[in-house]
Amino acid sequence: MKPQREGGGNNLWEAEMKDRLIELAGDPSRQQYILMRRITPPVTEMRFFKGGKFTPILQSVSEIGFFSSYISGGGDVIRSENHGLLVRTKSRNDNEGGVYVGISVLGSPHFMD
């Protein structure tokens, strides 16, 4: 369960999620959360470059994100555009993925045939 905000450190998993759902039953503030299915990506061995040096080899997972914009008004879509991609990689043991808080690192996709 994830609140509609960025920065990492805010997701709720398993027992925490269950407790929060019970706590928020009937509370309109529950609308700030979205429920997502947990995706288990393939694990790869990788070194991160953080703070000017390489980390030891880590069991890592990556995800692709999309930069986009969406503007609507009066029920009409005024603009909906894609603006690019990013790859975010973190240790497989981290439940959060925030780049800003130092949990993950950014990369660029490299597509191959």
Side-chain angles (χ1 to χ4, degrees):
M1 190 163 87
K2 179 178 183 171
Q4 294 282 11
R5 60 191 236 197
E6 293 297 325
N10 305 299
N11 295 349
L12 301 170
W13 305 96
E14 300 166 0
E16 279 184 308
M17 178 177 65
K18 178 184 173 189
D19 292 345
R20 182 62 56 89
L21 285 169
I22 292 168
E23 176 186 319
L24 293 173
D27 186 335
S29 70
R30 72 181 181 277
Q31 295 174 7
Q32 70 177 307
Y33 293 93
I34 58 173
L35 292 175
M36 301 184 302
R37 181 184 311 166
R38 190 163 198 167
I39 298 170
T40 307
V43 176
T44 57
E45 290 188 340
M46 200 171 294
R47 290 182 186 264
F48 296 177
F49 190 72
K50 291 173 124 178
K53 55 188 171 183
F54 286 99
T55 67
I57 294 174
L58 300 171
Q59 297 288 311
S60 304
V61 293
S62 297
E63 64 181 35
I64 294 177
F66 296 87
F67 292 106
S68 61
S69 61
Y70 180 85
I71 301 171
S72 65
D76 296 322
V77 175
I78 298 167
R79 180 169 287 172
S80 179
E81 298 176 355
N82 292 317
H83 300 285
L85 301 170
L86 68 83
V87 176
R88 182 169 50 192
T89 302
K90 64 182 182 178
S91 166
R92 76 181 264 183
N93 298 321
D94 287 322
N95 279 329
E96 298 288 338
V99 173
Y100 180 72
V101 294
I103 296 171
S104 62
V105 296
L106 290 177
S108 298
H110 179 78
F111 299 102
M112 301 169 53
D113 284 333

